[in-house]
PDB file of all heavy atoms in Angstrom:
ATOM      1  N   THR A   1     -17.405  -0.184  -3.851  1.00 77.00           N
ATOM      2  CA  THR A   1     -17.039  -1.591  -3.856  1.00 77.00           C
ATOM      3  C   THR A   1     -16.230  -1.897  -2.605  1.00 77.00           C
ATOM      4  O   THR A   1     -15.723  -1.008  -1.925  1.00 77.00           O
ATOM      5  CB  THR A   1     -16.190  -1.928  -5.093  1.00 77.00           C
ATOM      6  OG1 THR A   1     -14.932  -1.226  -4.997  1.00 77.00           O
ATOM      7  CG2 THR A   1     -16.896  -1.535  -6.374  1.00 77.00           C
ATOM      8  N   ALA A   2     -16.104  -3.194  -2.317  1.00 79.00           N
ATOM      9  CA  ALA A   2     -15.298  -3.600  -1.159  1.00 79.00           C
ATOM     10  C   ALA A   2     -13.868  -3.117  -1.317  1.00 79.00           C
ATOM     11  O   ALA A   2     -13.215  -2.744  -0.331  1.00 79.00           O
ATOM     12  CB  ALA A   2     -15.327  -5.129  -1.024  1.00 79.00           C
ATOM     13  N   GLU A   3     -13.368  -3.093  -2.552  1.00 82.00           N
ATOM     14  CA  GLU A   3     -11.992  -2.655  -2.803  1.00 82.00           C
ATOM     15  C   GLU A   3     -11.833  -1.165  -2.522  1.00 82.00           C
ATOM     16  O   GLU A   3     -10.822  -0.729  -1.954  1.00 82.00           O
ATOM     17  CB  GLU A   3     -11.578  -2.957  -4.255  1.00 82.00           C
ATOM     18  CG  GLU A   3     -11.325  -4.420  -4.542  1.00 82.00           C
ATOM     19  CD  GLU A   3     -12.583  -5.266  -4.454  1.00 82.00           C
ATOM     20  OE1 GLU A   3     -13.622  -4.837  -4.999  1.00 82.00           O
ATOM     21  OE2 GLU A   3     -12.534  -6.337  -3.812  1.00 82.00           O
ATOM     22  N   GLU A   4     -12.821  -0.357  -2.917  1.00 78.00           N
ATOM     23  CA  GLU A   4     -12.745   1.087  -2.672  1.00 78.00           C
ATOM     24  C   GLU A   4     -12.768   1.393  -1.176  1.00 78.00           C
ATOM     25  O   GLU A   4     -12.029   2.257  -0.691  1.00 78.00           O
ATOM     26  CB  GLU A   4     -13.895   1.792  -3.394  1.00 78.00           C
ATOM     27  CG  GLU A   4     -13.734   1.803  -4.908  1.00 78.00           C
ATOM     28  CD  GLU A   4     -14.980   2.260  -5.641  1.00 78.00           C
ATOM     29  OE1 GLU A   4     -16.087   1.962  -5.164  1.00 78.00           O
ATOM     30  OE2 GLU A   4     -14.841   2.908  -6.678  1.00 78.00           O
ATOM     31  N   ILE A   5     -13.617   0.682  -0.443  1.00 75.00           N
ATOM     32  CA  ILE A   5     -13.671   0.865   1.005  1.00 75.00           C
ATOM     33  C   ILE A   5     -12.347   0.430   1.630  1.00 75.00           C
ATOM     34  O   ILE A   5     -11.775   1.108   2.482  1.00 75.00           O
ATOM     35  CB  ILE A   5     -14.829   0.055   1.609  1.00 75.00           C
ATOM     36  CG1 ILE A   5     -16.173   0.601   1.113  1.00 75.00           C
ATOM     37  CG2 ILE A   5     -14.772   0.071   3.131  1.00 75.00           C
ATOM     38  CD1 ILE A   5     -17.359  -0.216   1.549  1.00 75.00           C
ATOM     39  N   ARG A   6     -11.833  -0.709   1.183  1.00 81.00           N
ATOM     40  CA  ARG A   6     -10.600  -1.254   1.758  1.00 81.00           C
ATOM     41  C   ARG A   6      -9.413  -0.323   1.509  1.00 81.00           C
ATOM     42  O   ARG A   6      -8.585  -0.117   2.408  1.00 81.00           O
ATOM     43  CB  ARG A   6     -10.328  -2.631   1.144  1.00 81.00           C
ATOM     44  CG  ARG A   6      -9.117  -3.350   1.744  1.00 81.00           C
ATOM     45  CD  ARG A   6      -8.927  -4.708   1.094  1.00 81.00           C
ATOM     46  NE  ARG A   6     -10.130  -5.508   1.200  1.00 81.00           N
ATOM     47  CZ  ARG A   6     -10.851  -5.892   0.152  1.00 81.00           C
ATOM     48  NH1 ARG A   6     -10.513  -5.550  -1.073  1.00 81.00           N
ATOM     49  NH2 ARG A   6     -11.942  -6.622   0.326  1.00 81.00           N
ATOM     50  N   ASN A   7      -9.333   0.235   0.330  1.00 79.00           N
ATOM     51  CA  ASN A   7      -8.200   1.111   0.009  1.00 79.00           C
ATOM     52  C   ASN A   7      -8.193   2.352   0.882  1.00 79.00           C
ATOM     53  O   ASN A   7      -7.128   2.878   1.219  1.00 79.00           O
ATOM     54  CB  ASN A   7      -8.243   1.506  -1.470  1.00 79.00           C
ATOM     55  CG  ASN A   7      -7.964   0.341  -2.388  1.00 79.00           C
ATOM     56  OD1 ASN A   7      -7.311  -0.619  -1.997  1.00 79.00           O
ATOM     57  ND2 ASN A   7      -8.469   0.404  -3.608  1.00 79.00           N
ATOM     58  N   ALA A   8      -9.379   2.816   1.240  1.00 72.00           N
ATOM     59  CA  ALA A   8      -9.449   3.976   2.132  1.00 72.00           C
ATOM     60  C   ALA A   8      -9.160   3.571   3.576  1.00 72.00           C
ATOM     61  O   ALA A   8      -8.452   4.269   4.301  1.00 72.00           O
ATOM     62  CB  ALA A   8     -10.825   4.622   2.032  1.00 72.00           C
ATOM     63  N   LEU A   9      -9.697   2.436   3.987  1.00 74.00           N
ATOM     64  CA  LEU A   9      -9.584   2.012   5.375  1.00 74.00           C
ATOM     65  C   LEU A   9      -8.163   1.609   5.751  1.00 74.00           C
ATOM     66  O   LEU A   9      -7.687   1.929   6.845  1.00 74.00           O
ATOM     67  CB  LEU A   9     -10.536   0.846   5.631  1.00 74.00           C
ATOM     68  CG  LEU A   9     -10.590   0.295   7.049  1.00 74.00           C
ATOM     69  CD1 LEU A   9     -11.062   1.366   8.019  1.00 74.00           C
ATOM     70  CD2 LEU A   9     -11.510  -0.919   7.110  1.00 74.00           C
ATOM     71  N   PHE A  10      -7.468   0.931   4.842  1.00 83.00           N
ATOM     72  CA  PHE A  10      -6.143   0.395   5.166  1.00 83.00           C
ATOM     73  C   PHE A  10      -5.030   1.104   4.399  1.00 83.00           C
ATOM     74  O   PHE A  10      -4.009   0.491   4.085  1.00 83.00           O
ATOM     75  CB  PHE A  10      -6.109  -1.111   4.881  1.00 83.00           C
ATOM     76  CG  PHE A  10      -7.071  -1.912   5.712  1.00 83.00           C
ATOM     77  CD1 PHE A  10      -8.193  -2.486   5.141  1.00 83.00           C
ATOM     78  CD2 PHE A  10      -6.866  -2.067   7.075  1.00 83.00           C
ATOM     79  CE1 PHE A  10      -9.088  -3.216   5.902  1.00 83.00           C
ATOM     80  CE2 PHE A  10      -7.767  -2.792   7.853  1.00 83.00           C
ATOM     81  CZ  PHE A  10      -8.876  -3.372   7.266  1.00 83.00           C
ATOM     82  N   HIS A  11      -5.231   2.390   4.106  1.00 79.00           N
ATOM     83  CA  HIS A  11      -4.237   3.115   3.328  1.00 79.00           C
ATOM     84  C   HIS A  11      -2.909   3.265   4.070  1.00 79.00           C
ATOM     85  O   HIS A  11      -1.879   3.576   3.471  1.00 79.00           O
ATOM     86  CB  HIS A  11      -4.757   4.505   2.960  1.00 79.00           C
ATOM     87  CG  HIS A  11      -4.943   5.402   4.151  1.00 79.00           C
ATOM     88  ND1 HIS A  11      -3.933   6.205   4.626  1.00 79.00           N
ATOM     89  CD2 HIS A  11      -5.992   5.600   4.977  1.00 79.00           C
ATOM     90  CE1 HIS A  11      -4.363   6.866   5.688  1.00 79.00           C
ATOM     91  NE2 HIS A  11      -5.611   6.520   5.913  1.00 79.00           N
ATOM     92  N   ASP A  12      -2.917   3.034   5.396  1.00 82.00           N
ATOM     93  CA  ASP A  12      -1.684   3.151   6.165  1.00 82.00           C
ATOM     94  C   ASP A  12      -0.943   1.821   6.272  1.00 82.00           C
ATOM     95  O   ASP A  12       0.141   1.763   6.858  1.00 82.00           O
ATOM     96  CB  ASP A  12      -1.995   3.673   7.568  1.00 82.00           C
ATOM     97  CG  ASP A  12      -2.939   2.758   8.341  1.00 82.00           C
ATOM     98  OD1 ASP A  12      -3.741   2.055   7.681  1.00 82.00           O
ATOM     99  OD2 ASP A  12      -2.878   2.734   9.583  1.00 82.00           O
ATOM    100  N   VAL A  13      -1.487   0.746   5.709  1.00 91.00           N
ATOM    101  CA  VAL A  13      -0.827  -0.566   5.728  1.00 91.00           C
ATOM    102  C   VAL A  13       0.072  -0.659   4.497  1.00 91.00           C
ATOM    103  O   VAL A  13      -0.403  -0.587   3.367  1.00 91.00           O
ATOM    104  CB  VAL A  13      -1.869  -1.709   5.728  1.00 91.00           C
ATOM    105  CG1 VAL A  13      -1.178  -3.063   5.636  1.00 91.00           C
ATOM    106  CG2 VAL A  13      -2.729  -1.641   6.986  1.00 91.00           C
ATOM    107  N   ASP A  14       1.363  -0.829   4.719  1.00 91.00           N
ATOM    108  CA  ASP A  14       2.321  -0.821   3.605  1.00 91.00           C
ATOM    109  C   ASP A  14       1.997  -1.881   2.554  1.00 91.00           C
ATOM    110  O   ASP A  14       2.106  -1.630   1.357  1.00 91.00           O
ATOM    111  CB  ASP A  14       3.739  -1.043   4.134  1.00 91.00           C
ATOM    112  CG  ASP A  14       4.273   0.170   4.891  1.00 91.00           C
ATOM    113  OD1 ASP A  14       3.712   1.267   4.718  1.00 91.00           O
ATOM    114  OD2 ASP A  14       5.247   0.016   5.654  1.00 91.00           O
ATOM    115  N   LEU A  15       1.594  -3.072   2.988  1.00 94.00           N
ATOM    116  CA  LEU A  15       1.261  -4.123   2.035  1.00 94.00           C
ATOM    117  C   LEU A  15       0.116  -3.689   1.126  1.00 94.00           C
ATOM    118  O   LEU A  15       0.163  -3.907  -0.089  1.00 94.00           O
ATOM    119  CB  LEU A  15       0.874  -5.413   2.776  1.00 94.00           C
ATOM    120  CG  LEU A  15       0.366  -6.554   1.889  1.00 94.00           C
ATOM    121  CD1 LEU A  15       1.433  -6.979   0.887  1.00 94.00           C
ATOM    122  CD2 LEU A  15      -0.080  -7.741   2.735  1.00 94.00           C
ATOM    123  N   ALA A  16      -0.914  -3.068   1.693  1.00 92.00           N
ATOM    124  CA  ALA A  16      -2.056  -2.613   0.895  1.00 92.00           C
ATOM    125  C   ALA A  16      -1.615  -1.579  -0.128  1.00 92.00           C
ATOM    126  O   ALA A  16      -2.040  -1.609  -1.290  1.00 92.00           O
ATOM    127  CB  ALA A  16      -3.135  -2.033   1.813  1.00 92.00           C
ATOM    128  N   ARG A  17      -0.749  -0.665   0.268  1.00 90.00           N
ATOM    129  CA  ARG A  17      -0.277   0.381  -0.641  1.00 90.00           C
ATOM    130  C   ARG A  17       0.579  -0.208  -1.754  1.00 90.00           C
ATOM    131  O   ARG A  17       0.486   0.195  -2.914  1.00 90.00           O
ATOM    132  CB  ARG A  17       0.516   1.423   0.139  1.00 90.00           C
ATOM    133  CG  ARG A  17      -0.306   2.157   1.189  1.00 90.00           C
ATOM    134  CD  ARG A  17       0.581   2.886   2.178  1.00 90.00           C
ATOM    135  NE  ARG A  17       1.304   3.989   1.552  1.00 90.00           N
ATOM    136  CZ  ARG A  17       2.371   4.561   2.088  1.00 90.00           C
ATOM    137  NH1 ARG A  17       2.845   4.127   3.240  1.00 90.00           N
ATOM    138  NH2 ARG A  17       2.957   5.563   1.473  1.00 90.00           N
ATOM    139  N   LEU A  18       1.413  -1.196  -1.417  1.00 91.00           N
ATOM    140  CA  LEU A  18       2.276  -1.825  -2.416  1.00 91.00           C
ATOM    141  C   LEU A  18       1.465  -2.612  -3.436  1.00 91.00           C
ATOM    142  O   LEU A  18       1.736  -2.552  -4.637  1.00 91.00           O
ATOM    143  CB  LEU A  18       3.291  -2.735  -1.727  1.00 91.00           C
ATOM    144  CG  LEU A  18       4.446  -2.030  -1.006  1.00 91.00           C
ATOM    145  CD1 LEU A  18       5.195  -3.008  -0.114  1.00 91.00           C
ATOM    146  CD2 LEU A  18       5.400  -1.403  -2.018  1.00 91.00           C
ATOM    147  N   LEU A  19       0.467  -3.353  -2.973  1.00 93.00           N
ATOM    148  CA  LEU A  19      -0.352  -4.147  -3.890  1.00 93.00           C
ATOM    149  C   LEU A  19      -1.180  -3.236  -4.791  1.00 93.00           C
ATOM    150  O   LEU A  19      -1.381  -3.536  -5.977  1.00 93.00           O
ATOM    151  CB  LEU A  19      -1.266  -5.097  -3.104  1.00 93.00           C
ATOM    152  CG  LEU A  19      -0.566  -6.219  -2.342  1.00 93.00           C
ATOM    153  CD1 LEU A  19      -1.588  -7.069  -1.588  1.00 93.00           C
ATOM    154  CD2 LEU A  19       0.264  -7.096  -3.272  1.00 93.00           C
ATOM    155  N   LEU A  20      -1.653  -2.126  -4.250  1.00 90.00           N
ATOM    156  CA  LEU A  20      -2.418  -1.167  -5.039  1.00 90.00           C
ATOM    157  C   LEU A  20      -1.569  -0.607  -6.177  1.00 90.00           C
ATOM    158  O   LEU A  20      -2.036  -0.477  -7.317  1.00 90.00           O
ATOM    159  CB  LEU A  20      -2.908  -0.039  -4.134  1.00 90.00           C
ATOM    160  CG  LEU A  20      -3.840   1.011  -4.733  1.00 90.00           C
ATOM    161  CD1 LEU A  20      -5.170   0.384  -5.115  1.00 90.00           C
ATOM    162  CD2 LEU A  20      -4.083   2.142  -3.733  1.00 90.00           C
ATOM    163  N   MET A  21      -0.314  -0.301  -5.892  1.00 89.00           N
ATOM    164  CA  MET A  21       0.565   0.247  -6.909  1.00 89.00           C
ATOM    165  C   MET A  21       1.033  -0.842  -7.874  1.00 89.00           C
ATOM    166  O   MET A  21       1.145  -0.620  -9.079  1.00 89.00           O
ATOM    167  CB  MET A  21       1.767   0.930  -6.263  1.00 89.00           C
ATOM    168  CG  MET A  21       2.492   1.890  -7.186  1.00 89.00           C
ATOM    169  SD  MET A  21       3.607   3.012  -6.309  1.00 89.00           S
ATOM    170  CE  MET A  21       4.985   1.919  -6.000  1.00 89.00           C
ATOM    171  N   ALA A  22       1.295  -2.037  -7.338  1.00 90.00           N
ATOM    172  CA  ALA A  22       1.726  -3.146  -8.198  1.00 90.00           C
ATOM    173  C   ALA A  22       0.643  -3.520  -9.201  1.00 90.00           C
ATOM    174  O   ALA A  22       0.933  -3.905 -10.335  1.00 90.00           O
ATOM    175  CB  ALA A  22       2.094  -4.358  -7.343  1.00 90.00           C
ATOM    176  N   ALA A  23      -0.618  -3.402  -8.780  1.00 91.00           N
ATOM    177  CA  ALA A  23      -1.732  -3.728  -9.679  1.00 91.00           C
ATOM    178  C   ALA A  23      -1.918  -2.681 -10.764  1.00 91.00           C
ATOM    179  O   ALA A  23      -2.629  -2.912 -11.741  1.00 91.00           O
ATOM    180  CB  ALA A  23      -3.018  -3.875  -8.872  1.00 91.00           C
ATOM    181  N   GLY A  24      -1.292  -1.514 -10.586  1.00 87.00           N
ATOM    182  CA  GLY A  24      -1.443  -0.445 -11.565  1.00 87.00           C
ATOM    183  C   GLY A  24      -2.635   0.442 -11.308  1.00 87.00           C
ATOM    184  O   GLY A  24      -3.010   1.249 -12.157  1.00 87.00           O
ATOM    185  N   ASP A  25      -3.240   0.306 -10.126  1.00 84.00           N
ATOM    186  CA  ASP A  25      -4.431   1.101  -9.805  1.00 84.00           C
ATOM    187  C   ASP A  25      -4.110   2.363  -9.018  1.00 84.00           C
ATOM    188  O   ASP A  25      -5.003   3.050  -8.535  1.00 84.00           O
ATOM    189  CB  ASP A  25      -5.433   0.243  -9.016  1.00 84.00           C
ATOM    190  CG  ASP A  25      -6.116  -0.785  -9.900  1.00 84.00           C
ATOM    191  OD1 ASP A  25      -6.226  -0.531 -11.109  1.00 84.00           O
ATOM    192  OD2 ASP A  25      -6.513  -1.839  -9.397  1.00 84.00           O
ATOM    193  N   HIS A  26      -2.832   2.657  -8.864  1.00 78.00           N
ATOM    194  CA  HIS A  26      -2.417   3.903  -8.204  1.00 78.00           C
ATOM    195  C   HIS A  26      -1.122   4.364  -8.851  1.00 78.00           C
ATOM    196  O   HIS A  26      -0.255   3.544  -9.157  1.00 78.00           O
ATOM    197  CB  HIS A  26      -2.202   3.679  -6.704  1.00 78.00           C
ATOM    198  CG  HIS A  26      -2.099   4.958  -5.927  1.00 78.00           C
ATOM    199  ND1 HIS A  26      -0.924   5.674  -5.842  1.00 78.00           N
ATOM    200  CD2 HIS A  26      -3.018   5.656  -5.209  1.00 78.00           C
ATOM    201  CE1 HIS A  26      -1.113   6.755  -5.110  1.00 78.00           C
ATOM    202  NE2 HIS A  26      -2.374   6.770  -4.727  1.00 78.00           N
ATOM    203  N   PRO A  27      -0.960   5.670  -9.083  1.00 71.00           N
ATOM    204  CA  PRO A  27       0.263   6.175  -9.716  1.00 71.00           C
ATOM    205  C   PRO A  27       1.495   5.829  -8.883  1.00 71.00           C
ATOM    206  O   PRO A  27       1.413   5.637  -7.670  1.00 71.00           O
ATOM    207  CB  PRO A  27       0.042   7.700  -9.749  1.00 71.00           C
ATOM    208  CG  PRO A  27      -1.425   7.882  -9.634  1.00 71.00           C
ATOM    209  CD  PRO A  27      -1.927   6.740  -8.802  1.00 71.00           C
ATOM    210  N   PHE A  28       2.648   5.747  -9.559  1.00 67.00           N
ATOM    211  CA  PHE A  28       3.892   5.452  -8.857  1.00 67.00           C
ATOM    212  C   PHE A  28       4.170   6.512  -7.803  1.00 67.00           C
ATOM    213  O   PHE A  28       4.004   7.710  -8.031  1.00 67.00           O
ATOM    214  CB  PHE A  28       5.067   5.375  -9.838  1.00 67.00           C
ATOM    215  CG  PHE A  28       5.091   4.090 -10.602  1.00 67.00           C
ATOM    216  CD1 PHE A  28       4.855   4.080 -11.960  1.00 67.00           C
ATOM    217  CD2 PHE A  28       5.341   2.900  -9.959  1.00 67.00           C
ATOM    218  CE1 PHE A  28       4.874   2.901 -12.662  1.00 67.00           C
ATOM    219  CE2 PHE A  28       5.368   1.707 -10.654  1.00 67.00           C
ATOM    220  CZ  PHE A  28       5.133   1.706 -12.013  1.00 67.00           C
ATOM    221  N   ASN A  29       4.586   6.065  -6.660  1.00 71.00           N
ATOM    222  CA  ASN A  29       4.856   6.937  -5.527  1.00 71.00           C
ATOM    223  C   ASN A  29       6.222   6.553  -4.965  1.00 71.00           C
ATOM    224  O   ASN A  29       6.440   5.410  -4.560  1.00 71.00           O
ATOM    225  CB  ASN A  29       3.761   6.761  -4.466  1.00 71.00           C
ATOM    226  CG  ASN A  29       3.938   7.680  -3.291  1.00 71.00           C
ATOM    227  OD1 ASN A  29       4.999   7.732  -2.674  1.00 71.00           O
ATOM    228  ND2 ASN A  29       2.888   8.409  -2.961  1.00 71.00           N
ATOM    229  N   GLN A  30       7.145   7.486  -4.976  1.00 72.00           N
ATOM    230  CA  GLN A  30       8.501   7.190  -4.539  1.00 72.00           C
ATOM    231  C   GLN A  30       8.538   6.714  -3.086  1.00 72.00           C
ATOM    232  O   GLN A  30       9.341   5.851  -2.726  1.00 72.00           O
ATOM    233  CB  GLN A  30       9.394   8.424  -4.714  1.00 72.00           C
ATOM    234  CG  GLN A  30       9.685   8.769  -6.161  1.00 72.00           C
ATOM    235  CD  GLN A  30      10.393   7.642  -6.903  1.00 72.00           C
ATOM    236  OE1 GLN A  30      11.255   6.960  -6.358  1.00 72.00           O
ATOM    237  NE2 GLN A  30      10.013   7.440  -8.163  1.00 72.00           N
ATOM    238  N   ASP A  31       7.680   7.269  -2.252  1.00 72.00           N
ATOM    239  CA  ASP A  31       7.643   6.855  -0.853  1.00 72.00           C
ATOM    240  C   ASP A  31       7.259   5.391  -0.727  1.00 72.00           C
ATOM    241  O   ASP A  31       7.790   4.659   0.111  1.00 72.00           O
ATOM    242  CB  ASP A  31       6.665   7.726  -0.058  1.00 72.00           C
ATOM    243  CG  ASP A  31       7.150   9.160   0.081  1.00 72.00           C
ATOM    244  OD1 ASP A  31       8.371   9.375  -0.016  1.00 72.00           O
ATOM    245  OD2 ASP A  31       6.308  10.055   0.273  1.00 72.00           O
ATOM    246  N   VAL A  32       6.306   4.961  -1.570  1.00 73.00           N
ATOM    247  CA  VAL A  32       5.886   3.560  -1.533  1.00 73.00           C
ATOM    248  C   VAL A  32       6.978   2.665  -2.096  1.00 73.00           C
ATOM    249  O   VAL A  32       7.236   1.566  -1.586  1.00 73.00           O
ATOM    250  CB  VAL A  32       4.564   3.363  -2.308  1.00 73.00           C
ATOM    251  CG1 VAL A  32       4.154   1.899  -2.296  1.00 73.00           C
ATOM    252  CG2 VAL A  32       3.465   4.218  -1.705  1.00 73.00           C
ATOM    253  N   LEU A  33       7.651   3.127  -3.154  1.00 73.00           N
ATOM    254  CA  LEU A  33       8.748   2.347  -3.725  1.00 73.00           C
ATOM    255  C   LEU A  33       9.846   2.112  -2.693  1.00 73.00           C
ATOM    256  O   LEU A  33      10.451   1.039  -2.643  1.00 73.00           O
ATOM    257  CB  LEU A  33       9.332   3.054  -4.942  1.00 73.00           C
ATOM    258  CG  LEU A  33       8.551   2.955  -6.258  1.00 73.00           C
ATOM    259  CD1 LEU A  33       9.206   3.815  -7.324  1.00 73.00           C
ATOM    260  CD2 LEU A  33       8.459   1.513  -6.734  1.00 73.00           C
ATOM    261  N   LYS A  34      10.095   3.100  -1.859  1.00 77.00           N
ATOM    262  CA  LYS A  34      11.146   2.983  -0.853  1.00 77.00           C
ATOM    263  C   LYS A  34      10.835   1.905   0.177  1.00 77.00           C
ATOM    264  O   LYS A  34      11.744   1.330   0.774  1.00 77.00           O
ATOM    265  CB  LYS A  34      11.349   4.331  -0.154  1.00 77.00           C
ATOM    266  CG  LYS A  34      11.994   5.394  -1.026  1.00 77.00           C
ATOM    267  CD  LYS A  34      12.081   6.724  -0.284  1.00 77.00           C
ATOM    268  CE  LYS A  34      12.653   7.806  -1.193  1.00 77.00           C
ATOM    269  NZ  LYS A  34      12.676   9.132  -0.514  1.00 77.00           N
ATOM    270  N   ILE A  35       9.542   1.637   0.380  1.00 76.00           N
ATOM    271  CA  ILE A  35       9.159   0.614   1.357  1.00 76.00           C
ATOM    272  C   ILE A  35       9.759  -0.731   0.980  1.00 76.00           C
ATOM    273  O   ILE A  35      10.283  -1.464   1.815  1.00 76.00           O
ATOM    274  CB  ILE A  35       7.626   0.491   1.446  1.00 76.00           C
ATOM    275  CG1 ILE A  35       7.021   1.787   1.984  1.00 76.00           C
ATOM    276  CG2 ILE A  35       7.227  -0.682   2.336  1.00 76.00           C
ATOM    277  CD1 ILE A  35       5.513   1.829   1.876  1.00 76.00           C
ATOM    278  N   SER A  36       9.681  -1.063  -0.307  1.00 72.00           N
ATOM    279  CA  SER A  36      10.136  -2.368  -0.771  1.00 72.00           C
ATOM    280  C   SER A  36      11.566  -2.340  -1.295  1.00 72.00           C
ATOM    281  O   SER A  36      12.196  -3.376  -1.455  1.00 72.00           O
ATOM    282  CB  SER A  36       9.220  -2.874  -1.891  1.00 72.00           C
ATOM    283  OG  SER A  36       9.285  -1.997  -3.007  1.00 72.00           O
ATOM    284  N   ASP A  37      12.072  -1.129  -1.603  1.00 74.00           N
ATOM    285  CA  ASP A  37      13.412  -0.983  -2.156  1.00 74.00           C
ATOM    286  C   ASP A  37      13.564  -1.780  -3.452  1.00 74.00           C
ATOM    287  O   ASP A  37      14.604  -2.394  -3.712  1.00 74.00           O
ATOM    288  CB  ASP A  37      14.465  -1.424  -1.133  1.00 74.00           C
ATOM    289  CG  ASP A  37      15.881  -0.969  -1.516  1.00 74.00           C
ATOM    290  OD1 ASP A  37      15.990   0.077  -2.197  1.00 74.00           O
ATOM    291  OD2 ASP A  37      16.848  -1.667  -1.168  1.00 74.00           O
ATOM    292  N   LEU A  38      12.500  -1.790  -4.263  1.00 70.00           N
ATOM    293  CA  LEU A  38      12.524  -2.480  -5.549  1.00 70.00           C
ATOM    294  C   LEU A  38      12.391  -1.476  -6.681  1.00 70.00           C
ATOM    295  O   LEU A  38      11.893  -0.370  -6.501  1.00 70.00           O
ATOM    296  CB  LEU A  38      11.376  -3.495  -5.638  1.00 70.00           C
ATOM    297  CG  LEU A  38      11.508  -4.753  -4.781  1.00 70.00           C
ATOM    298  CD1 LEU A  38      10.214  -5.548  -4.817  1.00 70.00           C
ATOM    299  CD2 LEU A  38      12.660  -5.623  -5.257  1.00 70.00           C
ATOM    300  N   GLU A  39      12.830  -1.885  -7.860  1.00 71.00           N
ATOM    301  CA  GLU A  39      12.715  -1.028  -9.029  1.00 71.00           C
ATOM    302  C   GLU A  39      11.257  -0.959  -9.474  1.00 71.00           C
ATOM    303  O   GLU A  39      10.465  -1.878  -9.246  1.00 71.00           O
ATOM    304  CB  GLU A  39      13.577  -1.576 -10.178  1.00 71.00           C
ATOM    305  CG  GLU A  39      15.067  -1.612  -9.874  1.00 71.00           C
ATOM    306  CD  GLU A  39      15.645  -0.223  -9.689  1.00 71.00           C
ATOM    307  OE1 GLU A  39      15.138   0.720 -10.332  1.00 71.00           O
ATOM    308  OE2 GLU A  39      16.598  -0.079  -8.901  1.00 71.00           O
ATOM    309  N   ALA A  40      10.925   0.134 -10.141  1.00 69.00           N
ATOM    310  CA  ALA A  40       9.550   0.316 -10.626  1.00 69.00           C
ATOM    311  C   ALA A  40       9.166  -0.759 -11.630  1.00 69.00           C
ATOM    312  O   ALA A  40       7.982  -1.038 -11.818  1.00 69.00           O
ATOM    313  CB  ALA A  40       9.397   1.696 -11.257  1.00 69.00           C
ATOM    314  N   SER A  41      10.170  -1.397 -12.267  1.00 70.00           N
ATOM    315  CA  SER A  41       9.876  -2.429 -13.273  1.00 70.00           C
ATOM    316  C   SER A  41       9.090  -3.590 -12.683  1.00 70.00           C
ATOM    317  O   SER A  41       8.279  -4.214 -13.370  1.00 70.00           O
ATOM    318  CB  SER A  41      11.181  -2.951 -13.898  1.00 70.00           C
ATOM    319  OG  SER A  41      12.023  -3.509 -12.904  1.00 70.00           O
TER     320      SER A  41
END
């Protein structure tokens, strides 16, 4: 799907990684959480 291609292509873009985790489609990652400095909630 376009989403699967996009997630691989832009995996180094912080916004893409944050939205992927916020949507619940990727396990929690402490490194990604640190980008936004927000709680997992």
Side-chain angles (χ1 to χ4, degrees):
T1 66
E3 287 67 45
E4 289 169 326
I5 295 174
R6 184 179 304 115
N7 291 335
L9 182 62
F10 298 109
H11 66 89
D12 60 332
V13 176
D14 288 342
L15 174 61
R17 297 164 67 197
L18 285 167
L19 293 179
L20 186 66
M21 198 164 78
D25 287 333
H26 194 278
F28 283 113
N29 183 307
Q30 290 300 321
D31 292 336
V32 179
L33 282 175
K34 289 177 183 177
I35 296 170
S36 63
D37 194 29
L38 288 172
E39 297 295 329
S41 60

